[in-house]
Amino acid sequence: MPSFAEVRQYLGGQIFGKPFVPRVDLSGTTYVITGGNTGLGLECAKHLQVSSPQKSSMVANINLRANLKAAKIILACRNLEKGSVAKNTLLKLTPHATIENLHGFIANAGLETVTFERTERYENSLTVNVISTIMLSVLALPKLKETAKKSGAHTNLVIVGSMQHVFAPSGQLDVGEGKKIFETLSDEKTADMMARYELSKLMVQMCQKEIAERVNAGAKSKVSPVVVNCVNPGWCATELSRYYDKGRIVGAIFSMIGRTAEAGSRTLVRGVTAGEETHGQYLSEYLVKTESTFVRSREGYQIQKRLWKELSEIIERLSPGSMAAM
């Protein structure tokens, strides 16, 4: 169960937090956004690429767009038809694009469902939210490092998490000796699908810390070539929960404290333009905040190491050689 302080941080940030888009010039840069055909990903892409200038130094109004001028946005989508629609939307905003190196990768694709299904041997939420997200992040690292070396400036890897990780049933990750975490969680007979989204975001939070640690270990200087952070966009109106109806009560609460997808996307833009002070950190409402008590605990650290070892083996099986290239 989350502590009172964690619940207060979540509600306080959701209700009173005012995320904004930083005023930076991203001319000549290239970004990849997974899950970029709708919701947070598409709104983030619009902010990065739209070309109508604003006078203010920061964008705080929902109806305004930042003028960040990214040269190329690559939308990584599972649905080609929706991806094509998203592409056409962006081209209307800015018709010119040139191919550059990779300056930022935003791992945004996600799924929330209470229906048990398997994909690639594992429960679908685990495959999409954890395995695919982290594998794509790992695969992006070599190009991010290469670009950082060429440009002499850090690049950014953003993994989209959620404050919901504080509500995750963390005990489900302690599967006991001799068992595999992903295989155990993919047992249809025992899978707790009502809390699966929260659990998957807890797993992502832990894996982000492992990636950041390894990027640091491989750096030739004290400064990381790739800034790795995990961002919480907040509770937003997106298609994330399109696979089931949460009911009238949840809908009524959301109408009072929920955010638009555009407002939530600002945190993604913050993460991909942030500096070294955010490396390995958790961002929410533009600020660096603390992860859950479990993530920061000794038990959580031990589970984190075990989780990473198992996930590394899965990724290496799916994409041989990718883990060594980190």
Side-chain angles (χ1 to χ4, degrees):
M1 289 292 292
S3 66
F4 174 75
E6 289 172 330
V7 174
R8 181 178 60 186
Q9 174 176 285
Y10 170 71
L11 291 177
Q14 180 68 34
I15 298 172
F16 302 109
K18 297 185 182 298
F20 56 85
V21 176
R23 179 70 167 185
V24 293
D25 187 347
L26 301 180
S27 298
T29 55
T30 300
Y31 294 87
V32 171
I33 306 173
T34 67
N37 61 285
T38 186
L40 295 171
L42 180 57
E43 295 300 328
C44 176
K46 291 177 183 178
H47 275 305
L48 291 174
Q49 198 172 29
V50 76
S51 57
S52 57
Q54 306 294 339
K55 294 181 180 179
S56 60
S57 60
M58 296 178 181
V59 177
N61 189 307
I62 288 180
N63 296 318
L64 298 182
R65 286 288 176 191
N67 177 28
L68 306 186
K69 303 178 183 177
K72 188 175 182 65
I73 306 294
I74 300 172
L75 305 178
C77 309
R78 287 175 292 167
N79 187 309
L80 293 180
E81 182 179 351
K82 290 183 178 180
S84 179
V85 172
K87 173 187 174 182
N88 292 333
T89 298
L90 290 178
L91 288 177
K92 289 179 181 179
L93 295 172
T94 173
H96 304 294
T98 57
I99 298 175
E100 296 288 344
N101 295 310
L102 184 57
H103 298 84
F105 186 91
I106 303 173
N108 164 70
L111 169 73
E112 182 177 13
T113 180
V114 295
T115 302
F116 185 94
E117 293 180 344
R118 283 194 183 88
T119 305
E120 299 294 339
R121 292 173 49 179
Y122 304 104
E123 188 276 313
N124 207 19
S125 299
L126 299 179
T127 299
V128 175
N129 296 354
V130 186
I131 299 173
S132 295
T133 292
I134 301 304
M135 183 171 71
L136 289 174
S137 298
V138 168
L139 292 173
L141 277 175
K143 179 58 69 174
L144 288 168
K145 290 180 179 179
E146 177 186 317
T147 303
K149 184 177 180 180
K150 289 180 181 179
S151 65
H154 70 77
T155 52
N156 291 67
L157 169 60
V158 177
I159 299 175
V160 178
S162 173
M163 183 60 186
Q164 294 292 326
H165 81 275
V166 305
F167 298 99
S170 56
Q172 293 182 17
L173 296 177
D174 188 3
V175 297
E177 294 298 325
K179 294 183 179 180
K180 297 286 188 179
I181 295 174
F182 284 91
E183 290 180 359
T184 301
L185 294 178
S186 297
D187 185 342
E188 186 174 4
K189 296 180 180 179
T190 58
D192 177 11
M193 294 305 299
M194 293 304 296
R196 182 49 54 91
Y197 177 75
E198 291 82 354
L199 188 66
S200 70
K201 288 302 180 179
L202 172 61
M203 297 165 77
V204 163
Q205 189 74 39
M206 292 176 157
C207 291
Q208 176 266 157
K209 295 173 72 68
E210 288 293 315
I211 293 176
E213 181 180 309
R214 279 158 178 75
V215 169
N216 270 352
K220 295 182 179 179
S221 65
K222 294 182 179 179
V223 179
S224 173
V226 182
V227 171
V228 183
N229 53 49
C230 188
V231 303
N232 165 47
W235 191 11
C236 304
T238 69
E239 294 184 11
L240 179 69
S241 304
R242 60 187 176 275
Y243 296 103
Y244 75 103
D245 183 3
K246 290 190 173 184
R248 293 182 179 180
I249 295 178
V250 174
I253 296 174
F254 180 82
S255 67
M256 293 185 286
I257 68 174
R259 294 177 184 164
T260 63
E262 185 280 319
S265 74
R266 300 174 188 178
T267 306
L268 278 63
V269 179
R270 155 63 167 159
V272 83
T273 59
E276 296 153 6
E277 72 281 359
T278 68
H279 183 63
Q281 301 296 320
Y282 166 68
L283 305 179
S284 184
E285 290 84 38
Y286 204 85
L287 304 173
V288 173
K289 295 190 177 181
T290 56
E291 307 106 322
S292 69
T293 300
F294 178 76
V295 173
R296 291 177 284 124
S297 69
R298 180 180 179 83
E299 178 188 3
Y301 181 77
Q302 293 172 340
I303 293 291
Q304 176 181 307
K305 293 299 180 183
R306 182 176 177 181
L307 174 67
W308 180 257
K309 181 178 183 299
E310 186 176 323
L311 181 55
S312 297
E313 293 171 352
I314 293 174
I315 293 175
E316 189 62 25
R317 174 173 55 81
L318 295 172
S319 179
S322 58
M323 297 306 298
M326 284 185 65

